[in-house]
Amino acid sequence: MNLRRIIFLFLICFGIFIVLYSPSALVHAQDKPHTHYWNEPEDYRASPEPETGGAKGYKKRVQSDDYMIVTANPYATRAGNYILEKGGSAVDAAIAAQLVLTLVEPQSSGIGGGGFLLHWDAKRKKISSYDGRETAPASFHEKTFLDDKGQPRGFQDLVQSGLAIGVPGVVKLMEDVHRQHGKLPWKELFQPAIELAYNGFYVSPRLHNMLSRKPVEQFHPIARQYFYSNGKAAQVGLRQRNQSLSRIFTTLANKGAHAFYHGDIAKMIVQRVKEISNDKNGMRLEDLMRYRVIKREPLCVSYRRYKICSMGPPSSGGVAIAQTLKLVEPYDMGLVPLNSKALHIISEAQKLSYADRKRYLADHDFVKVPVPGLLDQKYIDKRRRLIDLDETMTKALPGQPDFKKQSSFGIDATQERPGTTHLSVIDKDGNAVSMTSSVETAFGSKVLVNGFLLNSQLTDFSRKPVDENGTLIANRIAPGKRPRSTMAPTLIFDENHNLEAVLGSPGGSRIILYILKSIIALIDWKLDAQMAASLANFGSRNGPFEIEKDQLPPKALDDLRAKGHQIKMIPMVSGMHLILKQHGMLFSGIDPSREGAAMGR
């Protein structure tokens, strides 16, 4: 055998060795998918989304026959769609997508955060509601957020001290719903995220923009090293690998949520919190071990001939949405979207709902929230009489609903920040998932633990336990308590209890406005899914009338000003993700100012 042939055979053998025994092949030799579902469309990097908070772009409506998933990022959508292609359930697809979002959209959600999930079982015609919200550690008390002088500590001070980090709930939430509604093996759902984290993803325009807007010094050194290079945010199109997260996902795939709450991962979380906290209070291993997902009753109300279902407390979103819909129900919203009469009525009703929300809504396991009283028809009728069709109310005061069990409801001092994602799924059997999850303000605590960020959700508590009158505030912090949220995953049904729409949105305290706009656009203004999602966002959080710039004609603005409205034109980037079911078909609706994507078959 001559030397040339020996070299040739050696190169062939070496090539085979590299393919079979590279680290990637070793990690993913089992269950490796045949389809590279994580690859972007060819024009993904060439056609960036509009700048965060910028002008609205364009989203093509996706239509399918059998199933559909809509998420905040094309990678996550492709992962969920791949699971649906394999015969997975809506829950299976939601889990696969959420895991990928941990990697590609870390500014909004991830396994270091919490969330709420609504599930529709089409065969049993049953709605299930799951609370995976974070909890306060056992060492916390009513004065944890006060300084030595008894004054509330600053927001950034709390975030950087580690006191804002709540016990994460997403991993346990995913495992619990999978046990009840999953079809594919738990381990299989992790493969898209494992491989994508190991091989890398392309940094999106939105992730780059969000990093660019944050002071680099706010990030913990390990997170800073991952997200920045020489003080500059990771560039658009950069292939970003996260092999630490790939290993975490592999552990969870093999050992389940127990490894997150009892094993080495839990110890790493506690150790990292301890490193950054100079306080005696902080998360302990026992806090993680005690964490439980709570299955709650969904909150449903009728509107026109439809049934709207969302989350109850500790979410305030579902109650505020329900209240507003019942308040505006007797009025004719007109056929023309965004007509000034409808905008006035809706925003006045929202003021009343937001006033009640701020006073009464909190974790129902700690405060006897008067939900039946807030939705009682006599109370709704009484509150509706405060709406003047010719003049706006400057600021609504909370009402006094009837409730049997007395609780303390002081004037709230909670300051909320946005930082959330939403995904909607319908599988081939008609089952559906509406899931909203969060790490709180962008990038949460900005503390990285083996590739994933920890949340800063405890800032959603009131930092003051009592108001100026000495009355206890409902949303004050307490050990084991879940902070009030606005997240409101939502399902819409027709009069025969057939599923019509799956929707939800990020947006902090504006989530209520975004979901209400979409519901009214679909039901009253008869818009299709994409038109409803693209429609200008508007509303009032018991203050000025907020509207996206250049989205209303001058005549409508003049009409609102004539009624006394203070108009505030601001960017309102919703992140609405909607699936509408009509005539046996599924149609997508995506906020065009963000990076959401829909897929289906």
Side-chain angles (χ1 to χ4, degrees):
M1 186 179 294
N2 59 36
L3 180 61
R4 184 175 295 178
R5 181 172 294 180
I6 292 172
I7 293 172
F8 178 73
L9 291 172
F10 173 81
L11 291 174
I12 290 176
C13 292
F14 182 76
I16 294 172
F17 176 86
I18 290 297
V19 170
L20 292 178
Y21 297 101
S22 66
S24 178
L26 286 171
V27 172
H28 314 300
Q30 296 181 350
D31 304 322
K32 187 166 184 176
H34 299 293
T35 305
H36 293 289
Y37 45 80
W38 56 84
N39 289 339
E40 306 85 358
E42 291 181 4
D43 62 347
Y44 179 73
R45 285 178 289 167
S47 304
E49 295 286 329
E51 182 177 345
T52 299
K56 282 186 177 292
Y58 169 77
K59 289 288 184 185
K60 182 180 179 181
R61 184 182 70 172
V62 175
Q63 176 179 323
S64 66
D65 295 309
D66 295 331
Y67 55 74
M68 181 176 285
I69 179 168
V70 189
T71 83
N73 186 281
Y75 282 114
T77 297
R78 283 171 171 261
N81 189 70
Y82 170 76
I83 294 298
L84 292 170
E85 283 179 348
K86 295 189 71 173
S89 68
V91 159
D92 293 336
I95 292 170
Q98 177 63 78
L99 292 168
V100 170
L101 288 170
T102 301
L103 175 71
V104 302
E105 199 196 22
Q107 69 270 26
S108 298
S109 71
I111 61 172
F116 298 123
L117 187 148
L118 253 62
H119 180 265
W120 168 244
D121 185 322
K123 185 177 181 180
R124 299 169 63 197
K125 285 190 172 291
K126 182 179 179 181
I127 309 164
S128 299
S129 168
Y130 298 89
D131 174 0
R133 183 69 161 152
E134 298 88 343
T135 58
S139 61
F140 280 42
H141 52 81
E142 290 181 353
K143 297 182 179 180
T144 294
F145 287 171
L146 302 180
D147 61 21
D148 294 338
K149 297 180 180 179
Q151 296 301 310
R153 298 174 63 167
F155 178 88
Q156 199 57 43
D157 179 30
L158 286 176
V159 172
Q160 294 188 301
S161 71
L163 290 177
I165 301 172
V167 181
V170 160
V171 175
K172 194 72 172 67
L173 172 64
M174 292 189 300
E175 186 178 72
D176 280 15
V177 295
H178 180 260
R179 283 174 177 167
Q180 297 185 53
H181 309 291
K183 289 178 67 177
L184 297 182
W186 167 260
K187 184 177 180 179
E188 198 167 328
L189 310 180
F190 283 77
Q191 290 307 307
I194 289 172
E195 297 198 23
L196 189 59
Y198 190 92
N199 295 319
F201 68 98
Y202 291 118
V203 171
S204 74
R206 184 170 178 80
L207 175 53
H208 168 76
N209 286 335
M210 296 294 282
L211 286 168
S212 299
R213 291 163 183 248
K214 288 291 179 182
V216 64
E217 63 272 10
Q218 288 185 1
F219 286 77
H220 185 268
I222 298 174
R224 193 182 309 165
Q225 182 180 1
Y226 174 70
F227 288 115
Y228 296 87
S229 177
N230 297 321
K232 293 184 178 179
Q235 295 299 305
V236 177
L238 171 72
R239 183 179 282 277
Q240 186 87 324
R241 292 177 172 85
N242 191 335
Q243 296 182 7
S244 295
L245 185 57
S246 182
R247 288 190 291 271
I248 292 292
F249 284 155
T250 300
T251 299
L252 295 177
N254 292 327
K255 298 182 179 180
H258 187 272
F260 189 90
Y261 293 93
H262 293 77
D264 290 339
I265 301 173
K267 293 176 183 177
M268 287 186 288
I269 293 171
V270 171
Q271 180 60 34
R272 188 55 48 81
V273 173
K274 186 177 180 181
E275 287 173 8
I276 65 172
S277 177
N278 295 320
D279 296 79
K280 291 184 294 183
N281 295 317
M283 196 184 304
R284 302 289 185 265
L285 193 58
E286 293 77 13
D287 296 313
L288 286 152
M289 294 170 66
R290 280 194 291 262
Y291 185 83
R292 297 290 182 271
V293 170
I294 301 176
K295 191 173 182 181
R296 300 188 185 276
E297 284 296 315
L299 186 109
C300 299
V301 295
S302 61
Y303 179 68
R304 313 294 188 203
R305 62 182 185 86
Y306 297 88
K307 181 179 180 181
I308 316 296
C309 295
S310 190
M311 286 295 306
S315 171
S316 63
V319 175
I321 290 166
Q323 266 197 319
T324 304
L325 290 173
K326 298 308 291 182
L327 285 165
V328 305
E329 190 171 26
Y331 298 103
D332 181 0
M333 294 290 105
L335 297 177
V336 179
L338 303 180
N339 67 84
S340 59
K341 177 186 174 182
L343 294 181
H344 171 72
I345 293 169
I346 294 166
S347 62
E348 294 299 282
Q350 287 169 341
K351 287 180 179 180
L352 295 168
S353 299
Y354 270 84
D356 281 352
R357 164 189 177 270
K358 194 170 185 179
R359 176 65 65 89
Y360 297 112
L361 272 294
D363 186 343
H364 195 56
D365 294 333
F366 287 75
V367 178
K368 301 305 177 185
V369 182
V371 173
L374 291 168
L375 297 177
D376 179 76
Q377 191 59 53
K378 290 182 180 179
Y379 178 72
I380 292 291
D381 292 341
K382 181 179 179 181
R383 295 288 276 170
R384 191 186 299 114
R385 288 195 285 271
L386 298 174
I387 297 176
D388 187 328
L389 296 180
D390 299 315
E391 185 177 357
T392 183
M393 62 185 89
T394 305
K395 193 176 184 70
L397 296 175
Q400 293 183 324
D402 290 331
F403 50 95
K404 297 178 181 179
K405 295 182 179 180
Q406 182 67 37
S407 289
S408 181
F409 299 105
I411 300 172
D412 190 75
T414 305
Q415 296 180 358
E416 296 164 285
R417 306 291 179 100
T420 305
T421 198
H422 179 83
L423 59 87
S424 297
V425 193
I426 296 179
D427 65 26
K428 66 180 180 63
D429 296 318
N431 305 310
V433 165
S434 181
M435 179 180 180
T436 313
S437 59
S438 180
V439 290
E440 225 275 333
T441 188
F443 303 98
S445 65
K446 303 172 185 64
V447 173
L448 206 65
V449 177
N450 278 44
F452 66 90
L453 288 166
L454 296 177
N455 67 85
S456 59
Q457 290 287 6
L458 301 190
T459 56
D460 277 351
F461 282 116
S462 171
R463 280 173 258 169
K464 293 166 55 179
V466 297
D467 64 13
E468 294 181 358
N469 298 318
T471 306
L472 287 169
I473 293 170
N475 192 39
R476 64 191 182 277
I477 195 166
K481 192 175 181 179
R482 300 172 189 231
R484 185 181 67 204
S485 173
T486 316
M487 295 187 290
T490 302
L491 302 173
I492 301 177
F493 300 88
D494 67 14
E495 67 269 32
N496 297 317
H497 206 53
N498 297 312
L499 182 68
E500 285 238 341
V502 183
L503 67 156
S505 177
S509 62
R510 291 191 181 95
I511 288 174
I512 296 160
L513 306 184
Y514 300 152
I515 294 176
L516 281 165
K517 176 212 73 171
S518 296
I519 292 173
I520 291 170
L522 291 171
I523 293 176
D524 291 279
W525 295 329
K526 311 299 182 185
L527 299 186
D528 67 31
Q530 188 53 55
M531 291 176 67
S534 300
L535 190 67
N537 293 305
F538 66 88
S540 175
R541 295 175 293 161
N542 202 15
F545 178 83
E546 299 175 335
I547 181 72
E548 294 183 80
K549 188 177 181 181
D550 301 327
Q551 295 295 309
L552 279 185
K555 176 65 166 61
L557 289 172
D558 289 343
D559 289 347
L560 290 170
R561 289 191 179 102
K563 296 180 189 296
H565 287 279
Q566 178 190 349
I567 309 295
K568 188 175 182 181
M569 296 187 186
I570 56 172
M572 297 176 74
V573 182
S574 75
M576 169 62 62
H577 294 137
L578 163 65
I579 301 175
L580 181 64
K581 190 173 184 179
Q582 281 186 329
H583 312 299
M585 301 289 293
L586 303 175
F587 302 93
S588 69
I590 305 171
D591 172 19
S593 57
R594 289 178 62 160
E595 294 172 341
M599 291 187 75
R601 184 190 70 186

